[in-house]
Structure formats: C-alpha cells, structure tokens
Amino acid sequence: LGCKLDRVKAPSDRIKVTIIGDSITNGAKAALLSVLPKAEIVAQDSKQFSSNGTADNPSGLQIVEQLKVDGKLRQIVVFALGTNSLVTKSDVDAVIRAVGPDRQVFFVTNYDTVKTNKYDSNNKVFAAAKAGNNNVGVVDWKNAVLSTSGSPSDYIKDEGVYAVHPTAE
C-alpha cells in the first residue's frame, strides 16, 4: 500500500522466502509472485494458525514443521495467518520454536474494516513476540491499510459480515 508492487524492493536472493497464509494470501498470490517470483507460497482458504489443521488443510504450524523435516523451509518465513482464529502467545511461541533461531519469521497483522478491533488481541501477541526474539518481526498490514491515502475500503473488500480480503488496488 502506498506504492505499487513493482516498486517494492525484493530481497536480492529471492529464493529464501516461504510465505504461509490463508485466503488473503491466496488472493494476493499473483501479486506476491510478481515481486518474489521464486518465493514458496503455501496458501489455502480457511487455513488455521496452529491448531485445527486437517489432512486436506494443515495448519500453518504443521506446514512449518513438515517443510523443516523435508529440508524445504527457507531462511525467511512469513506467517500471514490469524484471520480465521484467535492467536495465543503459546501459538506464536510454537511457530517461533518450529522455525528455529537460524531463520527469520515475520507475522503479518490482521485487519478487518467492518469490525476494526476484532484482531487487536492477535496483533498484540504478534508485537509482543518481537521482545527477546531477534529473529522475529512484524509486517503491519493493519497500519499499512490505515495509513494510506484514501479510505481503507479502497484496499479491503466489504463482504458484509467481515472485510479482510484485499482489493486489486
């Protein structure tokens, strides 16, 4: 937001990124791959953060653990989950442990234009995870939406009950 994706500076070695997300990431997959063409993106509608995974739709934590066992987890892990569930400190701690200290993990904040405080507890847990963890960062999607020119509805689709999915803009 605030700039076109083609102007975003991507890491010089674009193969180091694993992005794990839900329907929001799934919808933005083409745009993400235009900036990070070699990123591994694992995104599926209704994906859960760390629990309630199924064989057909494993949780984000299960994906991290499996990629690590398979030797396929990359150096930068972007965890774009949380819109489908409440995220606790123990959930975030489990992801940080699974990623390990030799990789970076970034948690993407959650935002909904209909119920704007719905995800505040998730976002606080993400922010708190940075304390004492040098390999943890936060990508502040909520602030990106709120700090752009125009209305948040220019960037987030109003789908009635909730509004979390990005528009084409």
Side-chain angles (χ1 to χ4, degrees):
L1 295 169
C3 65
K4 297 291 182 194
L5 278 175
D6 58 358
R7 295 188 316 188
V8 174
K9 300 264 188 226
S12 58
D13 185 351
R14 297 174 183 208
I15 200 160
K16 292 183 179 181
V17 181
T18 299
I19 302 170
I20 302 168
D22 53 26
S23 59
I24 297 168
T25 304
N26 207 17
K29 198 175 211 178
L32 290 166
L33 287 171
S34 74
V35 176
L36 299 165
K38 294 184 179 181
E40 178 178 15
I41 300 176
V42 181
Q44 191 172 1
D45 294 0
S46 302
K47 186 163 295 306
Q48 299 291 308
F49 194 92
S50 67
S51 59
N52 299 323
T54 65
D56 293 335
N57 194 355
S59 72
L61 177 59
Q62 290 170 315
I63 291 168
V64 166
E65 290 169 337
Q66 188 61 55
L67 289 172
K68 193 170 181 183
V69 166
D70 295 343
K72 295 180 180 179
L73 188 64
R74 300 189 177 167
Q75 286 306 113
I76 298 169
V77 179
V78 178
F79 220 76
L81 291 169
T83 57
N84 295 310
S85 60
L86 178 66
V87 178
T88 66
K89 180 183 181 318
S90 63
D91 293 330
V92 169
D93 289 346
V95 169
I96 293 168
R97 277 191 308 277
V99 167
D102 298 330
R103 291 181 178 84
Q104 291 180 295
V105 61
F106 291 89
F107 296 101
V108 179
T109 62
N110 307 140
Y111 183 64
D112 181 320
T113 61
V114 174
K115 299 175 184 174
T116 57
N117 297 320
K118 179 179 180 180
Y119 298 113
D120 283 352
S121 65
N122 287 2
N123 296 341
K124 287 176 184 172
V125 171
F126 299 150
K130 292 190 309 183
N133 292 298
N134 295 333
N135 65 327
V136 175
V138 173
V139 177
D140 197 345
W141 170 244
K142 178 181 179 179
N143 187 54
V145 171
L146 294 175
S147 66
T148 59
S149 60
S151 166
S153 62
D154 294 338
Y155 304 102
I156 305 289
K157 297 175 193 173
D158 184 349
E159 298 164 303
V161 179
Y162 61 88
V164 295
H165 298 103
T167 64
E169 181 62 29

